[in-house]
Amino acid sequence: MKRASKKPLLRALEPKPIGILGGGQLARMLALKAHELGLKISILSENADDPAAQVAPLWQRGSLSSKQDLGNFLKTCRLATFESEFLDAGLLAALELETKTPILPRPADIGLIQDRLTQKQLLEKHGLPTAKFHKVESADEAWWARMVLGGETSPSRSAKNRSAREPAPVVFKKRRFGYDGYGTFVIRTQKDMEAFVAAELTKKSAHGFIAEEFVPFKREVAVMLARSSNGQTRLLPFVESFQQDSRCLWVKGPLKTNARFTALAAKLGKFINTVGYTGVMGVELFETERGLLVNELAPRVHNSGHYSLDALSEDQFTLHLKCILGQELGEPKLNAKGFAMMNLLGSSTVAPTWRLPTDARLHWYGKNENRPGRKMGHINALGATPEGALAVVQRERRKFEV
Ligand SMILES: Nc1ncnc2c1ncn2[C@@H]1O[C@H](COP(=O)(O)OP(=O)(O)OP(=O)(O)O)[C@@H](O)[C@H]1O
Ligand SMILES: [Mg+2]
């Protein structure tokens, strides 16, 4: 019988594993799925009890910023991926050439997306709608951007000639290393602005900021994209993502979509193909009266896609592994009409306790320390509607003291 694909079959006990740079919860869930699929995984992280190190057959101690540690690790892998975009993209590109171990998504794509300025420019280049923005490198530029984005028509470029009237709110974001709202500053008043400039812009910031217009969104939406190196693409269902203190608390879906969602889905599919991206990508969106705006891209598996572990026939971690291996992607099908995911965020430093949930599935990350706001695990539930599933995870959440 003829084989449908020319791709070589995976061999059992492949001599070299797939490497994952990083040992947190995203790496752990990738490793667990790889294990189910019979794929050998090796983890590079600092501590033997990191969430992913606990569940992977192979682990190397090392720093993700050390050229030597990364190089030594890559040499032992047939290909590598990562769980965080906060890596040195230039260093990875050089090490990819040196070790001949492919890194996917490609270091060049990480480089563009990890910087909020080049990411916004990438969105504009590909015709993806996003909030207006300006580059900010000094206090004067910050004051000017606040005026322009806040609706002032001809603001002075000088910090000294400020308008007496409060402009509309604006948002400043660190160009690099922002996550969970760390690095995001919503400025509503003159006092907020003065405090922000004094704290962040009096000394030259290492990477600078972008200023963005404040978006009065109806709700926040997210969607996962996937592209295999064989060229196949997939778009998972659109979900609503609810943030508390700039941190994702829960996700529910699938959303009822309209022509605006369909148009954006087509643009995203075209974008990922034109860029030739390989792997899974998280897309955060704002739904506004005027339509959908892209807030942020993440070149990796993403918190807003964790529901897929239970709600879809093909979850984001499996899809990511298939993408980087150039394997055929399944068509993710819904396992229920509604689903929800609730993050289990730490609220103290006391070790968490819980009773196992009844009709929700627990995904615990095995972190050895509880901290306020820290993502310790999540629970997923299915239901007849998204709201029904959300009610289940909200109820089950009360069984945890995190
Ligand atoms: N322009 C904006 N207008 C209104 N609210 C915003 C704007 N930008 C960000 N926010 C709010 O702040 C949250 C965090 O912002 P953003 O996602 O850009 O940064 P982040 O810290 O990198 O988050 P993540 O952990 O998702 O990477 C958003 O989810 C949203 O609630
Ligand atoms: Mg975000």
Side-chain angles (χ1 to χ4, degrees):
M1 205 175 71
K2 267 174 95 183
R3 252 191 261 147
S5 156
K6 290 207 182 75
K7 274 251 156 233
L9 294 171
L10 293 170
R11 238 176 308 134
L13 303 175
E14 191 82 35
K16 282 186 172 184
I18 299 169
I20 303 179
L21 309 178
Q25 69 263 25
L26 299 180
R28 177 184 173 108
M29 288 183 270
L30 277 169
L32 288 170
K33 280 294 158 187
H35 188 62
E36 280 180 21
L37 297 168
L39 301 168
K40 200 159 61 176
I41 284 284
S42 182
I43 298 290
L44 177 67
S45 79
E46 305 244 355
N47 303 301
D49 65 350
D50 283 336
Q54 293 170 23
V55 303
L58 298 166
W59 169 75
Q60 280 187 37
R61 184 191 302 278
S63 156
L64 302 185
S65 52
S66 153
K67 184 175 179 205
Q68 200 183 356
D69 292 355
L70 284 166
N72 288 342
F73 178 72
L74 288 172
K75 277 184 214 147
T76 66
C77 302
R78 65 172 145 144
L79 102 148
T81 189
F82 51 88
E83 65 162 358
S84 162
E85 59 278 32
F86 301 142
L87 299 166
D88 182 336
L91 176 60
L92 290 188
L95 286 171
E96 192 178 41
L97 280 178
E98 192 183 309
T99 62
K100 300 192 176 53
T101 301
I103 300 172
L104 291 167
R106 293 168 309 199
D109 294 334
I110 311 173
L112 281 178
I113 295 176
Q114 69 184 181
D115 179 331
R116 297 299 284 256
L117 179 66
T118 52
Q119 184 188 124
K120 293 283 275 191
Q121 290 163 341
L122 185 72
L123 294 172
E124 284 196 325
K125 181 174 161 195
H126 292 271
L128 289 163
T130 188
K132 278 192 227 131
F133 65 97
H134 286 288
K135 180 169 99 168
V136 167
E137 279 175 346
S138 66
D140 273 1
E141 279 177 358
W143 283 105
W144 179 80
R146 177 181 184 233
M147 290 298 167
V148 179
L149 295 168
E152 196 83 350
T153 44
S154 52
S156 158
R157 281 216 173 241
S158 161
K160 289 164 206 97
N161 298 320
R162 299 194 296 260
S163 157
R165 192 170 56 85
E166 286 283 7
V170 289
V171 184
F172 288 93
K173 294 180 182 180
K174 279 198 169 134
R175 278 176 58 180
R176 289 198 58 190
F177 306 117
Y179 72 100
D180 284 351
Y182 300 113
T184 299
F185 304 82
V186 179
I187 306 297
R188 294 174 194 278
T189 63
Q190 185 80 7
K191 239 175 98 188
D192 290 349
M193 185 66 188
E194 277 161 10
F196 165 71
V197 169
E200 302 289 337
L201 283 169
T202 41
K203 50 186 184 298
K204 196 153 172 54
S205 151
H207 300 287
F209 286 81
I210 60 163
E212 202 174 72
E213 64 178 326
F214 183 85
V215 179
F217 54 80
K218 287 196 286 188
R219 59 181 176 177
E220 291 189 75
V221 168
V223 68
M224 299 302 305
L225 294 174
R227 184 177 174 279
S228 171
S229 60
N230 75 8
Q232 278 182 314
T233 58
R234 294 287 181 266
L235 184 98
L236 301 191
F238 284 95
V239 299
E240 175 175 356
S241 122
F242 179 78
Q243 338 290 319
Q244 200 169 55
D245 303 324
S246 294
R247 216 167 276 136
C248 175
L249 186 62
W250 55 255
V251 160
K252 70 171 179 182
L255 291 187
K256 284 201 190 80
T257 53
N258 55 30
R260 284 173 165 173
F261 284 89
T262 319
L264 185 80
K267 278 188 186 170
L268 288 171
K270 198 169 155 222
F271 162 69
I272 199 171
N273 261 326
T274 310
V275 171
Y277 178 87
T278 296
V280 155
M281 180 189 287
V283 185
E284 297 178 9
L285 304 153
F286 296 131
E287 190 180 11
T288 74
E289 298 295 343
R290 290 181 288 147
L292 293 157
L293 297 175
V294 176
N295 171 33
E296 186 180 21
L297 303 176
R300 54 172 166 79
V301 287
H302 193 259
N303 194 178
S304 68
H306 289 357
Y307 72 86
S308 63
L309 283 169
D310 298 292
L312 296 183
S313 57
E314 186 123 300
D315 64 273
Q316 63 164 342
F317 305 97
T318 300
L319 273 172
H320 186 72
L321 292 164
K322 288 185 172 180
C323 286
I324 62 174
L325 288 166
Q327 299 279 310
E328 298 267 317
L329 306 181
E331 191 59 67
K333 291 194 189 64
L334 284 167
N335 293 332
K337 291 204 169 116
F339 58 80
M341 184 275 322
M342 172 71 72
N343 273 331
L344 299 166
L345 301 174
S347 59
S348 71
T349 52
V350 177
T353 54
W354 66 88
R355 276 174 294 134
L356 288 171
T358 47
D359 45 3
R361 267 201 65 202
L362 172 64
H363 299 268
W364 190 252
Y365 305 150
K367 294 184 182 176
N368 56 15
E369 223 181 285
N370 196 14
R371 275 202 305 267
R374 193 172 196 203
K375 289 171 181 163
M376 302 298 287
H378 70 270
I379 43 178
N380 282 343
L382 304 182
T385 61
E387 293 67 39
L390 181 63
V392 174
V393 291
Q394 281 170 332
R395 188 192 68 221
E396 294 297 328
R397 171 68 183 85
R398 290 183 214 118
K399 296 182 180 165
F400 290 82
E401 279 183 34
V402 188

